[in-house]
Amino acid sequence: MARLASKSRLLYRRASRAIPGGVNSPVRYYPPYPMFVQEAKGSKFRTVDGEEYLDYCMAYGALIDGHASREVVEAVQNVVEKGSIYGQPTEAEVELAETISSLVRSMQMVRLVNSGTEATMHALRLARGFTGRKKILKFEGGFHGSHDSVLVKPGPHGSIAGRPSSEGIPLETSKNTLVAPYNDEKTAAKIIRDYASQLAAVIVEPVAGNMGPIPPARGFLNSLRKLTRENSVVLIFDEVITGFRLSLGGAQEYYDIIPDLTILGKIVGGGFPLAAFGGRREIMRKLSPLGPVYQAGTYSGNPVSVTAGLTTLRSLKRRSNRIYPRLERLGAFLSKGIKDHLEARKVLAQTSQIGSMFQTFFTSRKVTDYNSAKSSDVDRYSRYFRSLLTSNVFVPPSQLESCFLSTAHGEAEIEQTLDAIGESLRSLRG
Ligand SMILES: *Cc1c(COP(=O)(O)O)cnc(C)c1O
């Protein structure tokens, strides 16, 4: 736990002068200051103050095999000796694209980029270029990176035309993004039908992962698939979290629904900056230099990230029969344990879990969308977060994030975590 004279505190002071808010991504800040990390291995990281924490943030889901996986480290060390970027194609890029295509059913063709933000930005442009339409539909609480078209919230009085959720974004841009509640099949259907002639794409996290994990209601994704197909709207699954996590083939395999375009990020880079978008050949062929939709990137497909990604995917493929059922089992065990603690201690909260994603919501409402997730008591979550820190367990500092298991987490560690959670909930009774 953060101490007064800690190195983290001193570093944070320096960081605050050099970097806005002291962090390079706002989710990393929590009061009074974040811990600074020295190194990490497997399921644990060590801070600059020498304290070790069991990690359930896992770089917001980027690491499915834990920190510093041996295989990835060795592969990257080998490749980086030979140059880290050429500005010319390599065989490894082709292998990675082929591997992705073979694992993720919708991705007949793939383009590699550097971040999830870039991937959704380009996929949306591609959908607009392909359809010649300009509006898109997203779901409230769905996160698709931090560019103008998707940093959008519903308009006033429940209006579906979005407005900017950040300063600096023109209202004219946000108006082209329509917003519906997640899991609200009826509203989505009405919007898709009413706006069919203007709607280029529907973008959705098949399992919402950025408001805690919220699974899709039965029929929700199917209905989106059917309506978008009927109205020639491009259906985009943002699988930046679910890709290679929910199953080897992502949520589209898990739910057996094939979107037109898919976004990958986080796990696909094996801990390095890499993301991808891909889908139907007919759509992907619109991309420059083949087609009229421009998209580019200096570091796209660089050999270091590609090697880390390829090594990770090959390893996951080799072990998939073992690891995905095990992650599912560990996730269910953890979630059941939390549920038992909540009941025993009479805490008004619930747990949500699917595969290796889980979260405890401090609300009595059933969490199915952004509004119900937002009804959580964030002060209680903060107290939960802090008290877990005193037991050397690190979960994401915000209520509206998912916690993640990795293949490096063992049963003994999970039991130890459940003890810590039980201890924490004792102080949060009511
Ligand atoms: C993290 C995330 C993104 C953004 O990816 P970055 O690499 O952070 O730009 C996009 N979509 C989803 C679903 C995410 O979880």
Side-chain angles (χ1 to χ4, degrees):
M1 180 68 157
R3 290 181 315 242
L4 265 135
S6 71
K7 283 189 190 162
S8 282
R9 182 160 174 264
L10 296 176
L11 271 177
Y12 181 66
R13 248 208 243 147
R14 261 173 70 199
S16 301
R17 281 192 290 269
I19 302 171
V23 289
N24 280 309
S25 195
V27 292
R28 293 179 202 162
Y29 175 78
Y30 49 90
Y33 53 85
M35 297 183 290
F36 281 64
V37 173
Q38 184 79 43
E39 59 186 334
K41 179 81 196 160
S43 61
K44 297 195 173 109
F45 65 85
R46 187 189 302 277
T47 69
V48 288
D49 290 296
E51 292 172 313
E52 211 172 65
Y53 289 81
L54 199 48
D55 190 3
Y56 289 95
C57 179
M58 282 290 142
Y60 291 89
L63 302 168
I64 194 168
D65 280 330
H67 296 278
S69 130
R70 197 68 247 150
E71 261 181 300
V72 173
V73 169
E74 276 169 13
V76 165
Q77 280 171 340
N78 277 332
V79 79
V80 76
E81 298 266 2
K82 299 171 189 157
S84 62
I85 179 169
Y86 310 123
Q88 292 168 91
T90 63
E91 183 174 354
E93 290 169 74
V94 186
E95 280 181 37
L96 181 55
E98 287 171 348
T99 304
I100 290 172
S101 289
S102 74
L103 298 178
V104 186
R105 268 163 68 196
S106 66
M107 299 178 84
Q108 295 175 345
M109 291 183 104
V110 179
R111 187 154 273 181
L112 303 178
V113 293
N114 306 289
S115 71
T117 294
E118 257 184 79
T120 63
M121 183 174 80
H122 291 138
L124 288 167
R125 181 183 303 145
L126 176 59
R128 284 171 162 147
F130 177 73
T131 57
R133 303 169 179 172
K134 70 178 179 188
K135 290 195 190 299
I136 60 164
L137 170 63
K138 81 176 280 286
F139 296 91
E140 196 179 8
F143 181 70
H144 306 293
S146 53
H147 58 90
D148 290 4
S149 286
V150 289
L151 279 186
V152 164
K153 59 186 178 187
H157 317 298
S159 149
I160 56 163
R163 60 189 160 133
S165 62
S166 158
E167 302 231 342
I169 296 175
L171 184 60
E172 294 87 329
T173 305
S174 303
K175 275 185 180 158
N176 284 317
T177 300
L178 312 178
V179 189
Y182 182 72
N183 272 336
D184 183 343
E185 192 178 319
K186 255 195 176 148
T187 302
K190 182 163 167 37
I191 294 172
I192 296 171
R193 287 203 186 98
D194 289 355
Y195 287 87
S197 64
Q198 301 170 62
L199 198 59
V202 172
I203 185 166
V204 63
E205 288 179 76
V207 170
N210 287 284
M211 40 182 171
I214 306 180
R218 183 192 294 270
F220 178 63
L221 297 175
N222 266 313
S223 152
L224 294 181
R225 178 61 286 184
K226 183 164 174 288
L227 284 155
T228 47
R229 186 174 285 131
E230 284 168 5
N231 293 284
S232 305
V233 175
V234 176
L235 179 62
I236 307 176
F237 274 8
D238 182 345
E239 296 227 41
V240 168
I241 288 180
T242 52
F244 312 111
R245 179 168 288 281
L246 216 49
S247 74
L248 189 60
Q252 53 200 273
E253 177 180 81
Y254 195 89
Y255 294 107
D256 194 20
I257 296 173
I258 306 302
D260 300 301
L261 292 178
T262 297
I263 315 294
L264 297 173
K266 298 195 168 113
I267 291 173
V268 76
F272 286 75
L274 190 149
F277 66 102
R280 273 166 51 201
R281 212 169 275 282
E282 175 196 11
I283 304 177
M284 292 300 286
R285 291 179 65 89
K286 294 284 179 203
L287 279 177
S288 183
L290 273 186
V293 178
Y294 194 70
Q295 184 276 329
T298 300
Y299 277 93
S300 294
N302 74 78
V304 179
S305 295
V306 164
T307 298
L310 193 54
T311 306
T312 301
L313 298 195
R314 281 177 175 159
S315 170
L316 291 175
K317 187 176 171 182
R318 204 171 55 238
R319 300 177 296 140
S320 65
N321 287 340
R322 259 181 305 132
I323 60 175
Y324 291 101
R326 179 168 175 273
L327 284 172
E328 184 76 51
R329 221 170 33 246
L330 289 180
F333 175 66
L334 186 51
S335 162
K336 167 82 169 56
I338 299 174
K339 220 170 267 170
D340 290 347
H341 280 308
L342 291 173
E343 273 166 29
R345 313 215 184 285
K346 307 214 179 335
V347 179
L348 264 190
Q350 63 195 278
T351 114
S352 175
Q353 173 258 333
I354 176 163
S356 55
M357 304 163 68
F358 66 99
Q359 184 55 295
T360 307
F361 289 106
F362 290 90
T363 176
S364 55
R365 277 177 67 183
K366 188 168 163 47
V367 175
T368 58
D369 61 7
Y370 186 65
N371 267 330
S372 43
K374 277 291 266 194
S375 73
S376 299
D377 184 339
V378 292
D379 288 339
R380 290 180 102 202
Y381 184 84
S382 291
R383 279 157 60 204
Y384 174 72
F385 166 72
R386 307 227 132 261
S387 79
L388 288 183
L389 283 188
T390 63
S391 303
N392 295 73
V393 171
F394 184 74
V395 295
S398 159
Q399 167 77 85
L400 296 180
E401 297 284 354
S402 293
C403 306
F404 296 100
L405 282 167
S406 79
T407 60
H409 289 79
E411 256 146 70
E413 286 171 333
I414 290 177
E415 275 171 22
Q416 179 194 328
T417 304
L418 280 172
D419 289 344
I421 289 176
E423 195 60 34
S424 160
L425 292 175
R426 199 200 308 279
S427 61
L428 292 170
R429 213 183 299 246

